[in-house]
């Protein structure tokens, strides 16, 4: 007997929500629900903790924050008439749980709790939540859907196989997964193997947007039981991915009630409303996803766009309209200005040159040329008179002492003061321009070039800065960041003929050591065994360990590597242990 | 038949160790072992993680840090010939455990693992450690000793009753318990009730010393089965408390092998070496503890001494010899200077006055008088010429705009630059002088008065500043901090006739609101219900929420309240949720 194909139309929403903005977030979700109705979506999926935003951190300790989150979940439930919806929220029941609500036709049918709580890297979930005891398979519109939350599918004891064994045809994972380079590949690899090994359709729904130091990249995915990607959400953009999935591609499993799953997980089943398997749709109605499936950024393009989104969201979500930064004519400030323009538009970026007696003429002309290429407002504030007034003031006290980094730091701090004065006077957020190689080695001045609200390149090594500049110039089709900026040897220009290489190894060498030491916790022996020069390695390790106090006072920045400075790497300042043995 | 009394001589060591200083810490422990031999101590107890220092934070992720810790535990074991010793270390066995080593006569007999891992407040132990499964009773020198680690006795499911039921006569708890005001009373109350309820001798051994933002206050305690304090370690000082405990005061319990304890704890017993119960000692040999038992600080004295120890250890452990700070003639900088002198000595403190056109003559004479009272080096660096040079430089850009906080912040930042220049030139650590009321409301200038290495008053509300000044003057027997400093109305002196009350409620009002909102997470409704003015409460809440970005770049300071800013209170900067509804 000839049957209609069993097809479920999935809608994966990846809204850019704001932590604590319950009303604003809710309105975004409402617009998605309208869209879902219009497109006849069978199951609409929202990300982890979409109601309150992620990560709420210690706001979770405030009872009224939890209440507010429950109020808005209930509003979402009431607004879901005629729809099936899965959405992340904070469940409160003696303890707090990172949970998913299963909603059918205006009713909260069930909640499912996150089992594996990440408490490493940037995550502190065990500080707030208790783990869920089990995961479940829900019959939604006649389709057996296994539900999991973020870490649940990443953990070595992940319940994917158990859910499949329990009869799940589709496994939904709602996530708020912070971006770092290479993670996209990791995700696809994991989901592909899980889909294939368990012959299930994997539905990965991820949040999008910047939240302080984290960027959530969206890039939601739907894979068929063969591990082929059926649909892909936009990366670094809000999106609502609608895709029809043919369930006949999944071996139709016997539904095993109350089967006892491995890893102490028990399995329940819920019949959510009536069976309402979609009709097959006419071509015209069918959403075309072919293009999306092929859309992918180059590695450098991916990082660049992460920085743009992280910058835009930090500035805008904190209610700033414009930014100001010092343009030295160097490659770091040139890249920061370019990212800022891509994030906010040229009318929102102000560049200021602050030359001293040590500034090369080339640096100033390069800064002007960049400002012209970007079409941003630009002016110049020379610092020499102010510098001299400090020196005169301290002449008596400094009498007889050598000129040293004190005078260099002073120039950087005068520039910091000028940029902050512009920030205070006009309400522009100041953007420091330092990169990760400088943050790591302390080759930066506290309260000087480190001063500002948001350090876009804080987690970007110098060698990557050059790659991102090349990417952006290629995209522009011309040297929007001038070649003269790129080819000049890096210099802080705080004394005559100064070069970064006077104090640091060449960046190609330095960044390799920093990756090994900071990101991979390699010992000096291990790094030397990798062929790195022992003396250089020891020097770099000393610099990194000795700069912890500086980093502790650095502004927030955007995490793009596997280990950023900040809460991703929590080291004591007072510390006599050094990696150098 | 007439028996000798059963007496055990306990030695509680509270050394001031440094995180990662394995060799230095080990040498301190060796000196304690010699002392223990000399005093014929039966059981010597060291604090939690004494081998590596506490908290090691992400150093625990470095394999060589763990190896080094095991190497030094083994050295301690070998050095313990003829002694019974308990000491905290990191046990590595697939996972990491916060463990206690039980050592007898140069041999490692057993290890006991911490069961309850704190992962709240300043603690991140679940980031590193797995919990232990059980706790044990060890027969040490014929005495049944139950072992626990820090949080184990604080948790609601604490194993104290189980250990007593299992036959423990003495329950030892090794701790690294950070100080906050009032905690001493909490500890004594807990230990007293546990000793009485279970009729056991409670031995509480706590670390001493400052480690970044935390101060461990020592104050180890031995309580008899009636809950009476038999001995007390010095608070805020290294100490080795030796005390004889008469075991006949404890109901001699039947020793129940393999009894199954509550809360899933199983009980093992170990016979550690030979029974070697001490002889009763002659009066001359008996250590006198009478004085110590009665030694206690006043509440303000306790806080003051916590600040002195935290300051000394941060400066010294980070290899600084001298500190420099701006003396405004105000009460905050006067207190910071006084604490610094008490911590480091007068020859290690340099005060600098940085007057502007807005400084009152009284402020400068007060600063000079304080410097004279403290006997510290003092000089003056007027800031007006430099201030003017900035204004001239920006005159064009600022043309047509009103004078506002920009010009005030600029003065504060010039002072910050001068203090940092002195720090850079002479290697003195700069001490900012802001208090918690300012940190909370953002009534401070980033890179200005917030600039420096260690913010001693960061967690000290303004009203407490006055109490600490009164305490210190009382101790001095005269107004070492001049009355004129205390009675003048608080002012930043950044414009003519400026008063803090122009921008903030009176500190008596402000600090009550801050305690309720920051320390106790009270809502606006709750605070209003407590009788606080709603408009004022809303204003303060707005100020606190809006200043998170400033606090994120603040230097570390000393935690003395139940919730300090920093890792004790982890809030997003990007946050649309405010306590004001």
């Amino acid at each position: 007997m000839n049957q209609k194909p069993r097809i479920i139309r999935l809608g994966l929403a990846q809204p850019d929500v704001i932590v604590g903005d319950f009303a604003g977030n809710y309105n975004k979700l409402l617009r998605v629900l309208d869209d879902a109705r219009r497109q006849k979506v069978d199951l609409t999926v929202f990300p982890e903790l979409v109601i309150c935003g992620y990560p709420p951190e210690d706001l979770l300790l405030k009872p009224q924050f939890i209440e507010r989150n429950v109020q808005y979940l209930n509003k979402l439930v009431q607004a879901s008439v005629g729809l099936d919806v899965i959405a992340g929220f904070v469940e409160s029941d003696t303890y707090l749980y990172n949970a998913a609500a299963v909603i059918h036709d205006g009713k909260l049918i069930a909640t499912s709790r996150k089992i594996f709580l990440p408490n490493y890297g940037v995550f502190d979930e065990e500080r707030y939540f208790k783990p869920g005891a089990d995961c479940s398979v829900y019959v939604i519109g006649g389709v057996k859907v296994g539900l999991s939350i973020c870490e649940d599918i990443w953990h070595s004891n992940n319940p994917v196989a158990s859910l499949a064994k329990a009869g799940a045809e589709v496994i939904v994972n709602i996530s708020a997964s912070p971006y770092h380079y290479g993670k996209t590949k990791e995700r696809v690899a994991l989901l592909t193997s899980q889909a294939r090994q368990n012959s299930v359709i994997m539905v990965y729904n991820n949040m999008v947007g910047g939240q302080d130091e984290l960027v959530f990249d969206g890039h939601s995915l739907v894979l068929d039981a063969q591990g082929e990607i059926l649909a892909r959400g936009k990366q670094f953009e809000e999106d609502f991915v609608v895709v029809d999935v043919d369930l006949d591609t999944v071996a139709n499993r016997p539904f095993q009630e109350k089967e006892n799953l491995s890893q102490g997980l028990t399995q329940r089943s819920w019949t959510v409303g009536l069976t309402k398997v979609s009709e097959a749709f006419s071509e015209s109605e069918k959403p075309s996803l072919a293009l999306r499936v092929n859309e992918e950024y180059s590695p450098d393009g991916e990082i660049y766009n992460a920085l743009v989104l992280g910058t835009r969201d930090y500035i805008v979500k904190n209610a700033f309209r414009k930014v100001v930064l010092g343009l030295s004519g160097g490659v770091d400030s040139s890249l920061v200005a370019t990212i800022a323009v891509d994030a906010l538009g040229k009318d929102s970026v102000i560049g200021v040159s602050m030359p001293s007696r040590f500034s090369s003429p080339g640096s100033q002309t390069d800064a002007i040329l960049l400002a012209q290429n970007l079409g941003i407002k630009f002016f110049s504030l020379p610092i020499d008179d102010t510098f001299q007034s400090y020196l005169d003031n301290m002449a008596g006290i400094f009498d007889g002492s050598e000129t040293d980094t004190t005078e260099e730091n002073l120039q950087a701090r005068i520039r910091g003061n000028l940029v902050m004065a512009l920030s205070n006077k006009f309400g522009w957020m100041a953007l420091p321009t330092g990169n990760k190689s400088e943050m790591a080695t302390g080759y930066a001045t506290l309260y000087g070039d480190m001063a500002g609200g948001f350090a876009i390149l804080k987690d970007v090594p110098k060698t990557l800065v050059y790659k991102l500049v090349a990417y952006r110039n290629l995209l522009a089709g011309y040297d929007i960041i001038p070649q003269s900026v790129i080819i000049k040897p890096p210099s802080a220009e705080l004394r005559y003929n100064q070069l970064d290489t006077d104090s640091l190894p060449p960046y190609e060498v330095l960044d390799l050591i920093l990756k090994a030491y900071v990101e991979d916790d390699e010992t000096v022996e291990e790094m030397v065994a990798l062929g790195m020069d022992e003396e250089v390695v020891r020097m770099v390790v000393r610099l990194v360990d000795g700069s912890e106090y500086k980093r502790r006072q650095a502004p927030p920045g955007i995490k793009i590597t596997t280990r950023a400075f900040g809460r991703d790497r929590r080291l004591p300042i007072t510390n006599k242990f050094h990696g150098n043995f």
Side-chain angles (χ1 to χ4, degrees), chain A residues 104-370:
Chain A
H104 170 69
D105 191 20
K107 291 181 295 299
L108 178 62
I109 302 297
T111 64
S112 184
R113 296 166 174 177
K114 189 175 188 175
I115 298 166
F116 298 107
L117 301 171
N119 204 69
Y120 56 81
V122 299
F123 302 106
D124 283 316
E125 290 198 20
E126 290 179 357
R127 181 175 171 91
Y128 311 107
F129 300 117
K130 292 281 179 202
D134 57 19
C135 58
S136 304
V137 176
Y138 304 88
V139 182
I140 301 176
V143 180
K144 294 156 205 147
V145 178
L147 201 44
S148 65
I149 302 177
C150 204
E151 188 81 0
D152 288 344
I153 64 167
W154 290 87
H155 196 278
S156 51
N157 298 347
N158 77 78
V160 173
S162 309
L163 288 166
K165 259 184 78 200
E169 300 165 290
V170 176
I171 290 178
V172 171
N173 180 265
I174 63 170
S175 288
S177 174
Y179 172 80
H180 62 70
Y181 65 72
K183 200 167 189 180
T184 318
K185 282 196 171 34
E186 295 169 30
R187 278 192 210 123
V188 171
L190 177 80
L191 293 164
T192 306
S193 72
Q194 289 178 334
R196 285 191 191 141
Q197 284 171 25
N198 305 290
S199 174
V200 287
I201 290 155
M202 294 295 296
V203 176
Y204 177 80
N205 167 255
N206 188 27
M207 185 170 278
V208 78
Q211 170 63 33
D212 287 352
E213 303 207 295
L214 303 181
V215 168
F216 302 96
D217 61 326
H219 200 263
S220 299
L221 293 163
V222 178
L223 293 82
D224 68 19
Q226 289 70 46
E228 295 306 313
I229 294 176
L230 298 178
R232 189 199 299 265
K234 288 185 189 149
Q235 195 172 20
F236 308 116
E237 287 179 61
E238 290 191 312
D239 200 359
F240 183 48
V241 185
V242 177
V243 56
D244 293 341
V245 177
D246 181 349
L247 295 162
D248 297 331
T249 63
V250 184
N252 200 340
R253 297 190 176 72
F255 193 85
Q256 298 158 35
E257 279 290 345
K258 303 258 160 290
E259 188 213 346
N260 207 29
L261 306 186
S262 51
Q263 302 106 29
L265 308 180
T266 63
Q267 168 265 335
R268 293 162 301 155
S269 82
W270 298 80
T271 298
V272 178
L274 309 164
T275 301
K276 55 180 190 59
V277 172
S278 308
E279 303 296 315
F281 296 89
S282 72
E283 282 317 307
S284 63
E285 277 177 293
K286 223 170 209 153
S288 157
L289 292 152
L291 244 174
R292 280 205 186 149
V293 173
N294 302 329
E295 249 173 29
E296 261 197 77
Y297 288 111
S298 69
D300 296 337
E302 190 180 85
I303 293 167
Y304 189 89
N305 281 276
L307 296 173
V308 169
L309 175 58
T311 301
R312 180 188 302 122
D313 274 8
Y314 189 82
I315 305 293
V316 173
K317 289 179 178 180
N318 284 289
F320 280 79
R321 284 210 191 75
K322 299 190 174 190
V323 297
V324 59
L325 72 154
L327 292 183
S328 69
V331 67
D332 298 320
S333 59
S334 299
L335 179 60
V336 169
T338 308
I339 291 170
V341 167
D342 289 339
L344 305 165
K346 64 183 177 55
D347 298 336
S348 295
V349 182
I350 295 92
V352 49
S353 164
M354 296 171 284
S356 79
R357 63 192 71 171
F358 305 115
S359 305
S360 64
S363 298
Q364 296 167 67
T365 53
D366 285 342
I368 293 165
L369 178 54
L370 176 81

Side-chain angles (χ1 to χ4, degrees), chain A residues 404-441:
Chain A
D404 55 18
T405 52
T406 305
E407 289 74 11
E408 300 183 21
N409 288 328
L410 187 52
Q411 296 166 62
R413 291 189 176 117
I414 292 167
R415 295 186 172 113
N417 287 6
L418 289 169
V419 170
M420 288 308 295
L422 294 168
S423 172
N424 292 159
K425 184 65 77 180
F426 301 114
W428 304 333
M429 186 184 287
L431 299 180
T433 63
N435 58 60
K436 187 176 192 176
S437 309
E438 293 170 353
M439 283 298 99
T441 54

Side-chain angles (χ1 to χ4, degrees), chain A residues 1-6 248 252:
Chain A
M1 165 186 126
N2 189 341
Q3 254 196 324
K4 267 203 212 121
R6 282 178 74 233
D248 297 331
N252 200 340

Side-chain angles (χ1 to χ4, degrees), chain A residues 3 42 193 462 479 491 580:
Chain A
Q3 254 196 324
D42 296 319
S193 72
K462 184 79 169 191
D479 289 343
S491 168
N580 49 354

